[in-house]
Amino acid sequence: MERGKKNGVPGLKILEKEELKKEEPLISEEVVCALYAPTAAIVNPWEYGIAMAETAAKNGAEILLDSQVTSIERKENFWQIKTKNKEINAKYVINAAGGKRR
C-alpha cells in the first residue's frame, strides 16, 4: 500500500475480512485482509495487444507485418519510415516487433 501511495495510485485502502466477504462472497475463509485498488487492473497482454491492433485498424491505421524497417527519420511533424518494399509517412509509429529472434 505504501508503494502504491508513493506511486500516486488513488483510492487505495485495506479491506478487512468482513468487507472482503461483501465484495467477494466466495473468498477463502482464511483471508485476513486485502489491499483494494479500485483504479488498478490486470490484463492478458496477448488479448490486449490484439484488441489494440483491431481498434487501430478500425480507426484507419495501416498494420504492416513482417516489414523490416531499413530507416526511420523524424521530419518536421511526422516520421518517415522506409522498409524494403515501401516508404511511409506517419504521425505515430508503434513498434511491436518484440524481442530479437535467435
Side-chain angles (χ1 to χ4, degrees):
M1 184 159 153
E2 292 306 316
R3 182 181 292 166
K5 286 180 181 179
K6 286 178 185 174
N7 289 334
V9 178
L12 294 175
K13 69 178 187 175
I14 300 294
L15 296 181
E16 300 296 330
K17 184 174 187 167
E18 297 75 32
E19 293 174 286
L20 282 168
K21 292 296 266 181
K22 287 179 188 172
E23 292 292 323
E24 186 57 60
L26 300 177
I27 199 163
S28 169
E29 289 297 327
E30 296 178 25
V31 71
V32 175
C33 62
L35 175 62
Y36 178 61
T39 61
I42 298 172
V43 299
N44 177 316
W46 297 104
E47 289 178 10
Y48 181 72
I50 291 168
M52 294 297 285
E54 288 174 343
T55 300
K58 286 178 185 176
N59 284 284
E62 181 179 7
I63 298 172
L64 302 175
L65 304 175
D66 292 324
S67 297
Q68 182 180 355
V69 174
T70 57
S71 70
I72 184 167
E73 185 179 345
R74 180 70 177 156
K75 298 293 184 174
E76 187 173 315
N77 59 354
F78 65 92
W79 291 96
Q80 183 179 65
I81 303 102
K82 293 181 182 177
T83 72
K84 287 187 174 186
N85 303 318
K86 192 172 191 172
E87 184 176 305
I88 304 124
N89 294 329
K91 186 174 180 181
Y92 301 103
V93 177
I94 299 170
N95 177 358
K100 184 177 178 180
R101 293 182 187 172
R102 295 178 187 220

